[in-house]
């Protein structure tokens, strides 16, 4: 599957020798270089910590929409879809990690875009990462606001609660290096796991009377794909992988973190969505915690609140880190405590969080816009771009077209991966736009800056 950089003497078109190639990762060529003697060290994360941060970031509010997806298409296709997409996401993670090992200088999707598509690719993929990260931050802010509203019985204006949550998330995003929030990663994973278990116990004790549960449900393309977007985007975390791997002590161990992430998330998604759907029935709410009795909903939201907080901070941190490294790469401000460096960093974290907050409360269709940004960018970052990664390295690090022809199976799979990303992008955008139109027609769109 992989095609990694090797010593020149090892380059050979023979398949047996190709299998024996060893990874040569140039520590001095990566984005942060040799950090010996510097004030700020970025390359400190173990693969276990990265796995926790990946899980905390991906298995967050994404799981809360999965039971409603099963209600639309039925248990059997729903579970098959979740497992398939989890396996597919693991495959694309492998291609992404191989690309990072081949190109240590890559820090984010923009850097990868420059290698494959040139300057235009860098700007498009960088902008897309920032937009998607800010949209994801806003999504977590809304989840935090919903949790606080539920816990307080709507005791305060929703805007105030969202502002309180945004302020807390801002401080989570502030550390310059991810190792400073590593302990929060463990806490976040434990919290979202316990929240899911509490929700399953609550709905099991208090099932919905007269509920309807179906193995399969015939649907139109629009309704089916609308449901499919939930599990598709529940795995939409690959856009952060380059940034996380860049802060690992041993990037070569990144695949271990990916295995932990996809194994945990896929199993947890299947169990959680099936239990909630079976006991809540076809009327299961989205977010799923709203299907629980009030006390159980408060317990689940209260426990998950810490996970929403860390995820919001991580997304804001990602957008800020991309911009910060883009402008200060190889300068003293990266590794030294300078007034300018810290001022810019704090300012970036504030701006990204502020934009996410303003959009979440000022744009009535913000929740629908999240779907559009996910369709436009997550479809490529999580799925489609991985095909380009493999094709590029197979061609340039191998023997050109001869490598592509000889490894025709992987070439074909890579092309299909690109087509799958394109399909999700186009269909997801269509579905999201149609949802917005229907929301306006039915009067479901509220007003900005309202409680």
């Amino acid at each position: 599957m992989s095609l990694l950089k090797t010593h020149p003497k090892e380059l050979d078109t023979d398949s047996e020798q190709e299998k024996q190639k060893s990874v040569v990762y140039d520590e001095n060529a990566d984005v942060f270089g040799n950090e010996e003697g510097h004030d700020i060290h970025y390359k400190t994360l173990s693969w276990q910590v990265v796995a926790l941060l990946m899980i905390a970031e991906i298995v967050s509010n994404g799981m809360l929409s999965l039971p409603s997806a099963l209600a639309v298409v039925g248990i059997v296709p729903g579970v098959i879809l979740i497992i398939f997409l989890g396996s597919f996401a693991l495959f694309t993670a492998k291609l992404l990690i191989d690309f990072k090992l081949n190109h240590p200088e890559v820090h984010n999707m923009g850097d990868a875009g420059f290698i494959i598509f040139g300057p235009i690719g860098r700007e498009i993929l960088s902008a897309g990462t920032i937009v998607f990260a800010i949209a994801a931050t806003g999504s977590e802010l809304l989840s935090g606001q919903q949790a606080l509203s539920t816990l307080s019985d709507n005791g305060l204006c929703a805007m105030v609660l969202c502002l309180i949550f945004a302020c807390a998330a801002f401080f989570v995003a502030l550390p310059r290096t991810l190792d400073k929030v590593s302990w929060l990663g463990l806490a976040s994973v434990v919290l979202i796991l316990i929240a899911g278990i509490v929700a399953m116990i609550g709905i099991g004790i208090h099932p919905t009377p007269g509920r309807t549960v179906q193995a399969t449900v015939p649907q139109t393309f629009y309704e089916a794909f609308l449901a499919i977007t939930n599990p598709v985007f529940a795995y939409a975390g690959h856009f952060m992988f380059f940034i996380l791997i860049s802060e690992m002590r041993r990037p070569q161990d990144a695949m271990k973190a990916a295995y932990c992430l996809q194994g945990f998330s896929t199993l947890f998604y299947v169990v959680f969505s099936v239990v909630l759907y079976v006991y809540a029935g076809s009327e299961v709410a989205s977010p799923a915690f709203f299907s629980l009795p009030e006390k159980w909903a408060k317990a689940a939201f209260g426990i998950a609140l810490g996970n929403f907080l860390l995820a919001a901070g991580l997304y804001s941190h990602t957008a800020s880190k991309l911009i910060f490294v883009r402008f200060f790469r190889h300068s003293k401000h990266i590794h030294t405590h300078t007034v300018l460096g810290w001022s810019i960093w704090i300012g970036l974290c504030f701006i990204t969080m502020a934009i996410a907050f303003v959009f979440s409360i000022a744009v009535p269709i913000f929740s629908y816009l999240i779907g559009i940004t996910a369709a436009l960018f997550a479809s490529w970052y999580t799925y489609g771009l991985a095909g380009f990664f493999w094709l590029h390295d197979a061609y340039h690090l191998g023997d050109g077209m001869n490598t592509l022809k000889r490894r025709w199976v992987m070439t074909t799979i890579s092309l299909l991966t690109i087509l799958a990303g394109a399909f999700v992008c186009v269909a997801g955008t269509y579905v999201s736009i149609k949802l917005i139109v229907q929301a306006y027609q039915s009067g479901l769109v509220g007003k900005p800056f309202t409680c």
Side-chain angles (χ1 to χ4, degrees):
M1 184 185 299
S2 62
L3 197 149
L4 302 172
K5 280 184 179 177
T6 62
H7 294 293
K9 66 180 181 180
E10 292 175 324
L11 289 176
D12 196 293
T13 58
D14 182 81
S15 60
E16 289 303 316
Q17 291 189 14
E18 188 169 326
K19 292 179 182 178
Q20 298 174 2
K21 291 178 180 179
S22 58
V23 180
V24 178
Y25 187 80
D26 188 351
E27 297 284 353
N28 294 316
D30 76 14
V31 62
F32 296 116
N34 188 334
E35 296 187 313
E36 185 177 353
H38 289 299
D39 297 333
I40 302 175
H41 291 186
Y42 293 88
K43 298 186 291 185
T44 58
L45 301 180
S46 65
W47 70 264
Q48 293 92 339
V49 170
V50 170
L52 290 173
L53 292 175
M54 286 179 173
I55 293 172
E57 170 249 329
I58 292 179
V59 185
S60 186
N61 61 6
M63 74 175 190
L64 300 182
S65 60
L66 292 179
S68 62
L70 266 62
V72 175
V73 299
I75 288 182
V76 175
V79 170
I80 292 174
L81 185 64
I82 292 173
I83 295 174
F84 169 76
L85 289 173
S87 302
F88 191 21
L90 179 63
F91 168 75
T92 57
K94 168 64 175 171
L95 301 187
L96 183 151
I97 291 169
D98 285 346
F99 188 82
K100 167 63 178 176
L101 296 179
N102 286 337
H103 306 277
E105 70 277 14
V106 169
H107 175 256
N108 53 67
M109 284 292 178
D111 292 341
F114 178 75
I115 291 174
I116 299 177
F117 305 113
I120 295 178
R122 167 186 278 170
E123 303 307 328
I124 292 176
L125 294 185
S126 293
T129 300
I130 295 170
V131 170
F132 185 59
I134 291 177
T137 303
S139 176
E140 297 292 345
L141 294 184
L142 288 179
S143 295
Q145 174 265 306
Q146 290 175 333
L148 292 174
S149 295
T150 300
L151 292 169
S152 65
D153 294 320
N154 297 307
L156 286 175
C157 172
M159 284 194 303
V160 175
L161 293 176
C162 190
L163 177 60
I164 293 172
F165 192 78
C167 290
F170 165 71
F171 287 104
V172 173
L174 271 183
R176 287 267 289 273
T177 59
L178 289 171
D179 65 305
K180 297 297 190 298
V181 296
S182 59
W183 67 272
L184 288 176
L186 175 60
S188 178
V189 172
V190 171
L191 288 175
I192 199 62
L193 176 61
I194 294 176
I197 293 173
V198 167
M200 289 186 283
I201 294 174
I203 199 66
I205 296 175
H206 302 282
T208 302
R211 61 191 179 279
T212 301
V213 178
Q214 295 177 275
T216 60
V217 181
Q219 293 289 3
T220 64
F221 170 80
Y222 168 74
E223 292 170 327
F225 196 84
L226 178 60
I228 289 173
T229 56
N230 292 328
V232 165
F233 302 138
Y235 292 104
H238 287 41
F239 76 105
M240 284 184 62
F241 284 9
F242 284 138
I243 291 177
L244 288 170
I245 297 170
S246 294
E247 298 195 26
M248 290 182 67
R249 288 195 298 266
R250 277 184 48 82
Q252 298 92 327
D253 293 334
M255 201 58 211
K256 297 177 183 178
Y259 281 124
C260 289
L261 163 67
Q262 299 306 154
F264 177 88
S265 61
T266 302
L267 178 61
F268 188 58
Y269 283 164
V270 169
V271 174
F272 179 81
S273 57
V274 168
V275 171
L276 265 290
Y277 173 55
V278 167
Y279 285 97
S282 58
E283 300 303 316
V284 63
S286 180
F289 288 168
F290 285 130
S291 295
L292 304 173
E294 182 179 355
K295 291 183 178 179
W296 287 93
K298 287 184 176 181
F301 269 123
I303 296 170
L305 194 59
N307 175 269
F308 300 155
L309 184 65
L310 177 64
L314 280 176
Y315 288 134
S316 176
H317 181 101
T318 297
S320 303
K321 183 68 71 67
L322 186 154
I323 300 172
F324 187 80
V325 172
R326 172 72 181 274
F327 285 101
F328 289 129
R329 187 185 297 225
H330 303 311
S331 76
K332 66 178 182 179
H333 303 293
I334 287 285
H335 287 105
T336 306
H337 296 292
T338 64
V339 174
L340 177 61
W342 273 105
S343 298
I344 295 296
W345 174 252
I346 294 172
L348 288 171
C349 290
F350 177 80
I351 290 171
T352 54
M353 188 64 68
I355 293 174
F357 167 72
V358 170
F359 271 87
S360 64
I361 65 171
V363 180
I365 60 171
F366 180 71
S367 58
Y368 299 101
L369 292 181
I370 293 173
I372 292 180
T373 58
L376 290 174
F377 302 116
S379 57
W380 291 107
Y381 295 151
T382 303
Y383 302 108
L385 280 176
F388 285 111
F389 293 159
W390 191 89
L391 291 173
H392 175 276
D393 282 359
Y395 183 87
H396 291 281
L397 303 183
D399 192 26
M401 288 301 299
N402 290 331
T403 300
L404 297 180
K405 292 176 181 178
R406 184 176 66 255
R407 306 189 66 179
W408 63 271
V409 174
M410 269 303 300
T411 300
T412 302
I413 294 175
S414 297
L415 291 172
L416 292 175
T417 299
I418 295 171
L419 292 176
F423 172 74
V424 173
C425 177
V426 174
T429 303
Y430 163 75
V431 166
S432 298
I433 292 175
K434 188 172 181 178
L435 268 179
I436 295 175
V437 173
Q438 291 179 342
Y440 272 108
Q441 292 175 344
S442 59
L444 295 177
V445 178
K447 297 180 179 180
F449 300 107
T450 58
C451 291

